[in-house]
């Protein structure tokens, strides 16, 4: 009608802005619980989180939201909207349809439950005590099953969960993609093991005082372009990144006294998530577009910086000097080439977040299969540890001694995050495909990394991925950046080449 | 009717619980802004705070709240309520009447404004730059004047502000009480200065590495009974305490490399506030009764632990050894008696939070007079620094060189806290009166402090004051604990006796 904003569109924007404010408050309360909130306040905090979540939920399914969506979806109206508004309408409609099927009371119970469970999980993991955690997990699974019933099932029950994290991803597609991965990675691992070679790595596990490790994490985060004026680095049991707004994107890591590299890779991983959120176009601040477009694309960025960059020969040739200077007595005799080989060892192990790039995908496939069993095949929570242990023995040749290094190792299920794990391997595949495209557009990328020009890479990613936030779908991003759809072959090729190099296969 | 809760009462409880959840979220967002939130996120954070505050405000003035109050205030109903419910109804009615007169839009603007202003104030103070802060202060004063217009005026405009912090306190009463204080403290300060004596204090201002100071603050907070499982200690420009819930009561302090005692007294001060909030009866958790009953009573507890305990000879005889052990090279030749005298020096100075116990009240009287001038006598914000400086010169014989050590020194006005300052001197008076009562009931209190039995004192205060939270009014507390109404003579007597001791008057 005019250059003025449609009044319904204004109302829609106001509601989204308000919801974003609630999300910021909730995000901060969660961050705080995991980085240093006093234990005795956790119970009351869970109630506060429950109350605000319920109100946020009510906003997303309010009659006002329904009316706005109905009006904005009218033929003639929808087409006249900007690309950003059309995407926000689409996403809000999906959320509205998904949420209004869940009774508010059930939703609030679920939020309180998972908030409690995350706190309890920390103790249970520390004590390897699955029994203390089991009743909570059982309740979380049961409530998630109720959610699936309310949402309805198209193909399999687990499909309904997958869609929340990676739009348009299905069990059928994943079975195929993971099948291709498994069929090529299993022989790759076998040939590595058959080589009988293993790079030395003992030197990584000397004593490295925490203060020095902190300085290195801070230094490397600055090098990749993490903006400390728009974020902060803390410590938590399970490292994470959280974007409260584009000017406040926080990350955590953890330091191990006897591990030189663990905190470095955690910091690069969470730093990759953070680069994505910090570099979203500021015009989307305060809107739902100010966030990553999917978990898989988000994970592609953490994996890109952790592995594609952080585990490259060029990276260590540039940055190892700083590490060596920090720990001269421990590393005086160690070369950057030795470190490059050590951090690229492939060896089946128990802990996902410590796994190498090749076997990592098998950790994910185990979780994917177990989640399918839980939701599609009636696996009981009672049997979870045994099934878990058997699969680890069968796929990786290792068996956990207690739940702390087995089924309790990850935080995700305590927060109800079923369907999330596949995102990690999707992230690996996207990352390798993006790297292939980067190499096409920037043929001297290795030299640039070796010269410490990481900001050029950050800019390349910002222009093509970060700035768009949630404007484009995962499939659109992949097509636009690489010229083709998701193709697992890039990951296989990348890993094969690296194994050839490290193990002289 | 029955043992079941009246349905209206249940609705009332549910609304209060929800409001408490919003307060917890808002409290955490404020705490975070002042302890380490990244600068670039502050703008968006202010919007989030504004949105949640607006919703909290709407709840407190909702038609549902009005209906609940109308029903619960019915004759026959009100009398049947428990003491706790009656107090909650009374307080909610006062808040409702006060708040519904303010247009929601004005309220939200005010919250956003003060959130911005608090961030800007930090820089302005650091740079001694009043001009950059003045427009914000002008706006805060103007909006506060609007609030007064909406609330209405009984005696003077400033009375309307006082009532928010200390129920039933008036300009008439304060003029009288502060008059009595001034009439006796001015000659006391004069006789101290006329004595020509001044205890040595140079040894307090050597270099004391921060790590050692942190250890001492932690140690002393544990000694007074601060529960670190129900709180945490951080650093901020202006120390503060905030109770998110009784299991999460946080404090901040600040450490100065060249000041041995400053952080100790800041920590004891904020620790006193925190002891009050941590020891409220758990049955009030999640209700508005889980908070201190007034700013004056709250300040009485910070002052009690900072001054009545923390500046006593018995305290230093017990705890100085720990400080000396931490800093042996600096304090090898310094005795506890020397420290006792040094921390009780009386000397007019510029900074309120560094002032001694006697002149402190003159700092407050200056602020009280200036706030009266701003709101009752039309003083312009333009003239504030000059009036401030003149008063300091006239009352204390010192003149600030820049606004950072003058009119910008306190955070309060940046948050709109006009009417708050008198609470500090009320706190001093209440604290002295409580100490008099404690001494009656526990005649060996000095010996107990000297033996480090501070927990017995905390228990005495918990039983009489802390556990009740907001159940009793300030006047009821003072009457119940001491057997008489507020009487400024106890503070004068206490200070006179101490000056007699320290300066051999």
């Amino acid at each position: 009608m005019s250059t003025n904003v449609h009044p319904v569109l204004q109302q829609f924007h106001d509601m989204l802005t308000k919801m974003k404010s609630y999300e910021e408050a909730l995000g901060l309360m969660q961050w705080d619980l995991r980085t240093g909130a006093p234990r005795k306040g956790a119970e009351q905090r869970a109630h506060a989180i429950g109350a605000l979540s319920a109100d946020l939920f009510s906003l997303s399914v309010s009659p006002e939201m329904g009316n706005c969506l109905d009006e904005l979806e009218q033929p003639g109206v929808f087409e006249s909207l900007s690309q950003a508004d059309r995407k926000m309408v689409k996403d809000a409609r999906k959320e509205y349809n998904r949420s209004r099927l869940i009774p508010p009371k059930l939703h609030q119970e679920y939020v309180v439950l998972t908030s409690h469970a995350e706190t309890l999980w920390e103790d249970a993991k520390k004590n390897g005590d699955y029994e203390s955690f089991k009743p909570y997990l059982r309740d979380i699974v049961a409530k998630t099953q109720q959610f699936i019933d309310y949402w309805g099932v198209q193909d399999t029950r687990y499909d309904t969960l997958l869609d929340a994290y990676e739009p348009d991803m299905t069990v059928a597609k994943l079975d195929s993609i993971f099948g291709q991965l498994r069929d090529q990675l299993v022989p790759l691992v076998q040939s590595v093991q058959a080589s009988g070679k293993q790079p030395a790595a003992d030197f990584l596990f000397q004593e490295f005082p925490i203060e020095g490790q902190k300085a290195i994490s801070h230094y490397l985060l600055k090098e990749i372009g993490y903006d400390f004026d728009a974020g902060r680095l803390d410590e938590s049991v399970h490292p994470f990144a959280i974007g409260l707004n584009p000017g406040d994107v926080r990350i955590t890591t953890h330091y191990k006294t006897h591990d030189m590299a663990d905190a470095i890779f955690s910091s690069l991983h969470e730093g990759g998530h953070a680069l994505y959120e910090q570099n979203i176009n500021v015009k989307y601040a305060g809107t739902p577009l100010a966030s990553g477009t999917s978990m898989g694309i988000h994970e592609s960025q953490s994996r890109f910086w952790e592995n594609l960059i952080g585990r490259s020969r060029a990276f260590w040739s540039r940055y190892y000097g700083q590490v060596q200077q920090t720990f001269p007595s421990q590393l005086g005799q160690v070369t950057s080439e030795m470190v490059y080989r050590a951090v690229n060892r492939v060896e089946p192990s128990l802990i996902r977040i410590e796994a190498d790039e090749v076997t990592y995908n098998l950790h994910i496939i185990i979780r994917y299969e177990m989640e399918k069993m839980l939701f599609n095949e009636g696996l009981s929570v009672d049997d979870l540890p045994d099934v878990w242990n058997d699969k680890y023995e069968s796929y990786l040749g290792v068996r956990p001694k207690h739940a702390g290094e087995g089924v309790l190792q990850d935080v995700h299920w305590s927060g109800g995050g079923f369907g999330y794990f596949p995102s990690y391997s999707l992230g690996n595949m996207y990352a390798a495909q993006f790297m292939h495209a980067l190499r096409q557009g920037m043929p001297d990328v290795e030299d640039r990394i070796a010269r410490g020009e990481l900001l050029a890479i950050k800019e390349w990613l910002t222009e093509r991925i970060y700035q768009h936030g949630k404007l484009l779908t995962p499939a659109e991003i992949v097509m636009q950046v690489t010229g083709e759809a998701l193709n697992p072959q890039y990951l296989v090729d990348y890993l094969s080449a690296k194994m050839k190099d490290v193990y002289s296969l």
Side-chain angles (χ1 to χ4, degrees), chain A residues 231-278:
Chain A
R232 47 181 287 167
L233 174 62
D234 293 271
E235 292 174 57
S236 66
V237 174
H238 188 92
F240 66 96
I242 185 168
L244 300 176
N245 67 60
D248 189 350
V249 182
R250 303 177 182 203
I251 55 182
T252 69
T253 187
H254 57 180
Y255 303 99
K256 297 181 178 173
T257 311
H258 288 87
D259 194 327
M260 186 207 90
D262 186 71
I264 288 175
F265 291 117
S266 281
S267 298
L268 290 174
H269 180 100
E270 304 307 336
H273 283 301
L275 287 186
Y276 193 177
E277 299 264 336
Q278 282 188 337

Side-chain angles (χ1 to χ4, degrees), chain A residues 22 96 115 138 208 251 270 288 426 435 449:
Chain A
Y22 278 65
Y96 178 83
S115 176
R138 189 195 310 283
F208 297 96
I251 55 182
E270 304 307 336
L426 290 169
M435 180 53 105
I449 296 171

